[in-house]
Amino acid sequence: MHYKFCPECGAKLVDRQAGDDGAVPYCGACNRFWFDSFSSCVIVMVVNELQEIALLHQSYISDEYDTFVAGFMTPGESAEQAAVREVKEELGLTVDELEYAGTHWFDKREQLMHAFIGYVRKAPFALSQEVDSASWVSVADAPGRMFPDRPGNTQHIIYRQYCKSIKRVHAGDDLHYNQQR
Ligand SMILES: [Zn+2]
């Protein structure tokens, strides 16, 4: 979001040089710059010990495609804490281990997505009201139910990272994973 008025006092902002950042909207009354802001969100591909992926059906997002666990970060928590919290809230599952899958800009909604793979033990779901249904789907079948693989789609970025890690495990060089499982 690009600010035109001060969110604190409502005054019209004027562009002012802010060092290396160039012209930035500034409120003279509050003596404060208002840099462009955006939401930070987490997206978590939840997988179990049988290498099944949790796909969520959320009709308020899409009737056609299935989603991963996702949500807004709240002030004061880390992306990792938000990821664990969202998995608990949406699916009722406890994350044993998180694997980082980078940050990705979601242009359509101006959100920075912090991506993770969340490893859990297979258990019955306890769904939040935001989730219509959820199911465990094999690695092979999951892409057919995910959003199409286009630039800006974080689902497939996480999915591909998981597929690579499965190959490493099969090659026997991922000691950490082998000890955990
Ligand atoms: Zn102000």
Side-chain angles (χ1 to χ4, degrees):
M1 179 158 76
H2 186 74
Y3 293 102
K4 291 185 178 133
F5 297 91
C6 177
E8 292 290 340
C9 74
K12 194 168 180 7
L13 302 174
V14 292
D15 279 352
R16 184 166 160 172
Q17 292 299 310
D20 293 339
D21 293 310
V24 172
Y26 174 80
C27 177
C30 297
N31 187 28
R32 173 170 180 181
F33 285 104
W34 290 96
F35 288 81
D36 292 353
S37 74
F38 53 86
S39 299
S40 276
C41 301
V42 292
I43 177 167
V44 190
M45 190 180 89
V46 175
V47 299
N48 66 29
E49 72 277 20
L50 305 175
Q51 296 184 347
E52 294 169 325
I53 297 170
L55 290 181
L56 289 66
H57 191 72
Q58 298 179 283
S59 57
Y60 80 97
I61 296 176
S62 171
D63 276 328
E64 196 174 355
Y65 303 115
D66 287 346
T67 56
F68 292 166
V69 168
F72 289 89
M73 289 174 58
T74 56
E77 69 182 349
S78 67
E80 288 79 1
Q81 288 167 335
V84 169
R85 174 180 57 72
E86 287 289 346
V87 172
K88 191 61 147 181
E89 284 176 7
E90 294 193 353
L91 297 179
L93 299 177
T94 302
V95 172
D96 292 332
E97 189 187 349
L98 270 182
E99 181 182 322
Y100 186 58
T103 56
H104 310 279
W105 180 250
F106 185 27
D107 205 39
K108 199 168 141 195
R109 295 199 193 161
E110 293 205 335
Q111 293 169 346
L112 183 65
M113 308 300 294
H114 299 255
F116 295 93
I117 301 165
Y119 293 91
V120 304
R121 290 274 162 196
K122 188 170 186 176
F125 297 116
L127 301 179
S128 87
Q129 291 187 341
E130 289 179 18
V131 183
D132 302 316
S133 62
S135 48
W136 291 112
V137 179
S138 72
V139 173
D141 291 341
R145 294 173 53 172
M146 287 153 49
F147 281 78
D149 187 7
R150 313 190 250 255
N153 182 323
T154 308
Q155 278 189 315
H156 288 268
I157 296 171
I158 310 173
Y159 176 81
R160 281 192 287 272
Q161 176 167 323
Y162 178 64
C163 291
K164 271 189 203 165
S165 79
I166 293 173
K167 280 186 198 154
R168 277 203 307 274
V169 171
H170 286 163
D173 63 359
D174 192 328
L175 289 173
H176 181 59
Y177 190 97
N178 287 338
Q179 281 161 3
Q180 291 281 321
R181 301 290 125 192

